[in-house]
Amino acid sequence: MKRRRGSLYIVVLLVTGLLLILGMAYLGTQGPEMQASLEAVSTAQAYQMARAGVEDAVCKLSKDKVFPPPGGLEQQTFTYGEQLGDIGSYRVKVDVSRLGTTRSLIGVTSQGFAGASRAEVSCWLDSDTLQVVRWDE
């Protein structure tokens, strides 16, 4: 009976070891999938940050008559940025070089940052109505 009990312990140890090896192999395959998932989330957050920058610029343009702040006559662009908590940030460039042309336009380019990801969106707005004339992603 003791000999059988010793054999049983060995079998239990072997099965436990086999299950441990299989579990470790399964976890090893999940690492890259988890990394890809985190990168997808970061990319989506960066894109939304960039869109938030455009929306912020449009809001400021519609509510603040001296936005962007007046610079010299040669100043055609204005850049500012915002940090949004721990999630990310955006940097916006407002281009007024096409004001006063036949179709008076304001360009807005926004870069969103989240983790290691970066996204950029840009648009041209009609300076009178602030309606989007062209949108690029």
Side-chain angles (χ1 to χ4, degrees):
M1 186 73 166
K2 285 189 177 194
R3 189 172 209 152
R4 218 176 234 209
R5 184 179 274 178
S7 299
L8 184 60
Y9 286 140
I10 291 174
V11 169
V12 168
L13 282 173
L14 287 174
V15 168
T16 303
L18 180 64
L19 288 174
L20 180 66
I21 290 171
L22 289 173
M24 300 272 291
Y26 176 74
L27 288 176
T29 63
Q30 297 304 307
E33 288 181 20
M34 180 66 139
Q35 184 64 30
S37 173
L38 291 173
E39 287 175 14
V41 167
S42 180
T43 300
Q45 286 175 335
Y47 173 73
Q48 293 303 324
M49 292 288 164
R51 289 197 58 132
V54 169
E55 293 297 324
D56 182 57
V58 170
C59 184
K60 287 178 179 174
L61 284 165
S62 69
K63 293 185 181 199
D64 189 353
K65 297 302 177 196
V66 291
F67 181 83
L73 293 175
E74 68 282 346
Q75 184 176 356
Q76 300 292 311
T77 61
F78 173 73
T79 304
Y80 72 96
E82 298 277 342
Q83 178 70 36
L84 300 175
D86 294 337
I87 299 171
S89 63
Y90 59 79
R91 186 172 41 232
V92 177
K93 181 174 87 171
V94 179
D95 180 355
V96 294
S97 63
R98 289 193 182 178
L99 285 178
T101 60
T102 52
R103 185 160 192 193
S104 203
L105 299 174
I106 299 172
V108 177
T109 301
S110 178
Q111 295 176 329
F113 306 94
S117 297
R118 175 185 167 280
E120 182 174 301
V121 295
S122 61
C123 66
W124 287 98
L125 307 169
D126 182 288
S127 66
D128 296 325
T129 63
L130 295 180
Q131 295 296 312
V132 175
V133 175
R134 179 178 170 185
W135 183 271
D136 295 314
E137 294 182 359

